[in-house]
Amino acid sequence: FLMAMIISRDLQEFPGANYVVFVPWRDLAHQTAEHFKSWGLDVGIVGDNSRDTAASVLVCIYRSAKLLLGRAFRISFIDEAHHIEGTNSLIVQHITRGDR
């Protein structure tokens, strides 16, 4: 899983950095979080009645992106980006805003 590898390597150079992965569905959020945990990453889920924002790697369901407004991340990923619709423009704004 490429994202886990990228985050793991980046954490070696930037310990304490924060990362976010946006996903379209709750099942994928839980699957992605479990995969990241298998890499030894500190993972939290945002969405699906969960808001574990203290973790260094957040997996956020698209429709919950508003819960991360004002947060800055070293690297942001969009998984299944072809599923982003106009209602999910908060994700694009978050990534292109430059709050780094």
Side-chain angles (χ1 to χ4, degrees):
F1 203 54
L2 189 58
M3 290 182 282
M5 183 185 73
I6 291 169
I7 293 169
S8 292
R9 288 190 179 186
D10 197 67
L11 276 169
Q12 292 174 7
E13 189 172 342
F14 299 96
N18 293 305
Y19 307 85
V20 64
V21 178
F22 294 102
V23 298
W25 309 290
R26 66 180 172 197
D27 292 343
L28 185 56
H30 291 280
Q31 176 185 347
T32 301
E34 287 306 312
H35 181 75
F36 286 166
K37 288 176 185 176
S38 76
W39 277 72
L41 297 172
D42 175 33
V43 183
I45 294 177
V46 177
D48 193 29
N49 296 318
S50 179
R51 192 172 178 186
D52 183 9
T53 58
S56 60
V57 180
L58 299 180
V59 179
C60 180
I61 300 169
Y62 287 177
R63 68 181 175 271
S64 299
K66 64 185 171 285
L67 299 174
L68 298 179
L69 287 175
R71 296 277 310 264
F73 298 92
R74 176 154 166 72
I75 301 174
S76 300
F77 298 92
I78 302 176
D79 197 5
E80 300 286 333
H82 59 280
H83 291 286
I84 291 181
E85 299 171 5
T87 58
N88 294 310
S89 63
L90 281 174
I91 296 167
V92 176
Q93 289 175 18
H94 176 80
I95 290 175
T96 60
R97 214 179 37 227
D99 288 353
R100 302 194 199 300

